[in-house]
Every structure is written in C-alpha cells, then in structure tokens.
C-alpha cells in the first residue's frame, strides 16, 4: 500500500495530539487529586429539611475525628452560610440541593463538586492552610447565581 508522505505525517501528528490529551488528563488527575464522583446516595429534593441526614446542617465531628460538614444548596444560598473547620484534619462534605443543580467550589482548593437535586454529593478533603475560603456556586442556577456564596473558616487546632 502506498501512503502519501504528508498523509503519513498527519496521521502521526493526530496520534501525538491524542496521546498529549490523554497524558494531560492523567497528569492533572494525579497532580491535583481529581476524581470522578464515586458516591451514589439519593434523597427526595422536596423533603431535604425533613430528612434526618440534612435536618441539622453544619459541622459535626465523627468518631474517627473526621469533621463532617453538611450543607444544603438552594437558590441562592448555602445553608449554613459559614462553617468552621480545623486545619490539617480530614473534612467530609455532604451536600445536596433543594431545587436545581448548583456547583460547590471552594476557591483556591481542589474541593469542587456538582450538587444535583435528588442526590447527595460526598467527598473528603483536608485544608492545610488556615484562613477564610470562599465557597462559590459554579453552575449557573438562575438570576441570583453570582450572589450564591458561603465561607469556610479554617482554624488552627487548639
Ligand atoms: Cu447556585 Cu449558581
């Protein structure tokens, strides 16, 4: 079979580009500890505040000293709007939405999850540096989307 040299060159280039894309995904997934959602838990979005898992949003400390942060997303607020956690200790977030899809992003960290009505988003992270972190909604959820924010105050252990 006779393949034109240009054809061969561009077939090679296409392979290089595909390899570069896959390499980029693999590298960033490792370097920034990115993972797809691995937790499937459902909830009735119309009954979130009656559900015992979300009736008392806020911070609790679990038996293994993990801090659990339960937050509810709604147009256009996070409940509670401010939580306090301790630096360098695991923090498990449990999030759900009462209405539409919201995005939970802790600015300057790798904490980032979609909050989908009907599901509980859960992930665990650790904040190394004390400070006040902005939680921004990063999924467009309506006219007040840009005002939907909360704070995570990371404190030194006492
Ligand atoms: Cu909630 Cu955008």
């Amino acid at each position: 079979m006779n393949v034109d040299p240009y054809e061969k060159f561009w077939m090679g280039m296409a392979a290089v580009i595909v390899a570069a894309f896959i390499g980029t995904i693999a590298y960033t997934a490792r370097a920034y500890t990115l993972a797809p959602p691995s937790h499937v838990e459902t909830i009735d979005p119309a009954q979130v505040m009656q559900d015992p898992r979300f009736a008392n949003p806020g911070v609790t400390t679990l038996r293994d000293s993990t801090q659990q942060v339960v937050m509810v997303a709604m147009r256009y607020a996070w409940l509670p709007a401010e939580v306090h956690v301790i630096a360098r200790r695991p923090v498990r977030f449990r999030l759900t939405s009462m209405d539409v899809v919201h995005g939970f992003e802790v600015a300057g960290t790798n904490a980032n999850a979609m909050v989908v009505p009907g599901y509980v988003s859960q992930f665990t992270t650790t904040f190394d540096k004390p400070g006040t972190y902005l939680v921004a909604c990063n999924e467009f959820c309506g006219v007040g989307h840009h005002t939907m924010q909360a704070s995570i105050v990371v404190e030194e252990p006492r």
Side-chain angles (χ1 to χ4, degrees):
M1 190 176 66
N2 181 33
V3 180
D4 185 87
Y6 281 121
E7 187 93 39
K8 254 188 202 157
F9 173 78
W10 287 109
M11 283 195 304
M13 286 305 282
V16 167
I17 291 167
V18 168
F21 286 165
I22 293 172
T24 305
I25 292 168
Y27 170 76
T28 50
R30 270 198 88 77
Y32 298 97
T33 339
L34 305 181
S38 55
H39 180 81
V40 179
E41 183 180 340
T42 55
I43 185 167
D44 178 355
Q47 300 292 325
V48 167
M49 299 317 287
Q50 285 79 31
D51 191 296
R53 293 169 291 174
F54 284 89
N56 295 301
V59 189
T60 49
T61 304
L62 306 181
R63 248 179 256 154
D64 65 354
S65 89
T66 298
Q67 307 165 86
Q68 178 166 279
V69 177
V70 172
M71 276 176 115
V72 178
M74 69 194 78
R75 284 179 291 185
Y76 299 99
W78 298 98
L79 193 73
E82 184 178 311
V83 293
H84 291 245
V85 297
I86 295 168
R88 298 179 294 280
R89 282 196 202 150
V91 182
R92 179 203 281 166
F93 285 96
R94 285 173 57 76
L95 315 161
T96 195
S97 168
M98 286 170 52
D99 39 44
V100 297
V101 176
H102 299 277
F104 180 89
E105 177 178 354
V106 185
T109 72
N110 69 346
N112 190 338
M114 279 176 91
V115 184
V116 181
Y119 291 89
V120 178
S121 300
Q122 177 175 301
F123 63 92
T124 303
T125 189
T126 303
F127 298 99
D128 291 330
K129 270 200 268 157
T132 301
Y133 293 78
L134 170 74
V135 176
C137 179
N138 66 7
E139 293 282 344
F140 184 74
C141 51
V143 288
H145 161 70
H146 63 288
T147 66
M148 187 170 165
Q149 48 180 255
S151 323
I152 298 192
V153 182
V154 178
E155 295 166 343
E156 282 291 354
R158 262 170 272 182

